[in-house]
Amino acid sequence: AVVITFPTAGRKLICGESKMVKFGLQFKATLEHISKVRPDGEDFRWFLKLKCQNCGEISDKWQYITLMSSTPLKGGRGSASMIQKCKLCSRENSIDILKDTIKPYNAEDSEKFKTIVHFECRGLEPVDFQPQAGFAAEGAESRTQFGEINLMEKDWNDYDEKIRESVGIYEVTHQFVKI
């Protein structure tokens, strides 16, 4: 392996190893009579399409990661939610969910992008997100709990008996930002 030392930072990079990069998933929606929406539980499935930063190959299928999944990294460098070998270039890459960064999307965030989770990536870049089942929401006025919300269709609605009004999450969209 070739070692490169950066004179100003004193950091070393071993060629062939992937550099760690963090990405934030930003969520945006219109909330109707909902105070917050959030991914629910450690078994929440984050469905992603991932791009190999070495060769540019993008996964053709949706892959999911959860907080419950943890695989040790080679060389004792900790663990990751998922380790995968690129089909095209055979490089081993990893992605990890940073648990402490998971945040709800609140009523005051409605119609604005807000980062709801960070991913720590080595050799991978998330390029698409598909919200599916597993979201939970809370009624704004009634505090009624709504569980197992599926946002795959980018819209969800229900009826809140306590306030006798419809509630909903509409126009769900997302983007990734490098952190």
Side-chain angles (χ1 to χ4, degrees), residues 161-179:
E161 297 285 340
K162 291 180 183 173
I163 61 167
R164 295 188 178 141
E165 293 273 354
S166 67
V167 294
I169 304 166
Y170 306 105
E171 300 169 358
V172 173
T173 189
H174 70 278
Q175 65 186 16
F176 288 98
V177 293
K178 201 172 189 178
I179 297 173

Side-chain angles (χ1 to χ4, degrees), residues 5-170:
T5 303
F6 296 95
T8 53
R11 293 184 7 221
K12 293 181 180 177
L13 176 67
I14 299 171
C15 290
E17 282 191 5
S18 300
K19 201 170 68 171
M20 186 273 296
V21 182
K22 290 181 184 174
F23 292 93
L25 170 60
Q26 294 189 327
F27 184 90
K28 179 179 165 185
T30 301
L31 304 183
E32 177 188 31
H33 300 292
I34 294 289
S35 63
K36 66 182 170 188
V37 60
R38 61 182 165 68
D40 194 22
E42 291 199 0
D43 59 344
F44 180 84
R45 293 180 175 187
W46 300 91
F47 282 87
L48 303 169
K49 285 205 176 177
L50 303 165
K51 176 181 172 181
C52 176
Q53 291 184 314
N54 185 52
C55 69
E57 175 76 3
I58 297 174
S59 55
D60 53 348
K61 294 181 182 166
W62 292 101
Q63 300 170 329
Y64 73 83
I65 56 176
T66 69
L67 281 171
M68 292 174 48
S69 304
S70 183
T71 307
L73 293 169
K74 280 185 181 176
R77 295 182 311 199
S79 62
S81 300
M82 181 179 74
I83 298 172
Q84 80 170 27
K85 194 174 223 177
C86 178
K87 289 180 189 172
L88 194 62
C89 73
S90 299
R91 175 170 269 169
E92 190 172 273
N93 301 315
S94 66
I95 183 168
D96 197 31
I97 304 164
L98 299 179
K99 182 180 182 174
D100 295 340
T101 67
I102 299 173
K103 306 281 185 251
Y105 187 81
N106 302 311
E108 57 269 17
D109 304 316
S110 190
E111 300 181 27
K112 294 180 279 195
F113 280 107
K114 177 186 179 181
T115 303
I116 61 168
V117 66
H118 293 176
F119 300 108
E120 186 176 273
C121 302
R122 289 187 188 276
L124 289 175
E125 178 180 346
V127 293
D128 204 358
F129 168 64
Q130 186 179 58
Q132 293 193 12
F135 284 91
E138 181 177 278
E141 295 86 16
S142 67
R143 303 187 69 74
T144 300
Q145 300 298 310
F146 298 93
E148 279 307 305
I149 296 171
N150 188 329
L151 295 176
M152 195 165 173
E153 300 297 321
K154 313 294 187 221
D155 289 317
W156 167 86
N157 65 353
D158 204 335
Y159 188 76
D160 189 335
E161 297 285 340
K162 291 180 183 173
I163 61 167
R164 295 188 178 141
E165 293 273 354
S166 67
V167 294
I169 304 166
Y170 306 105

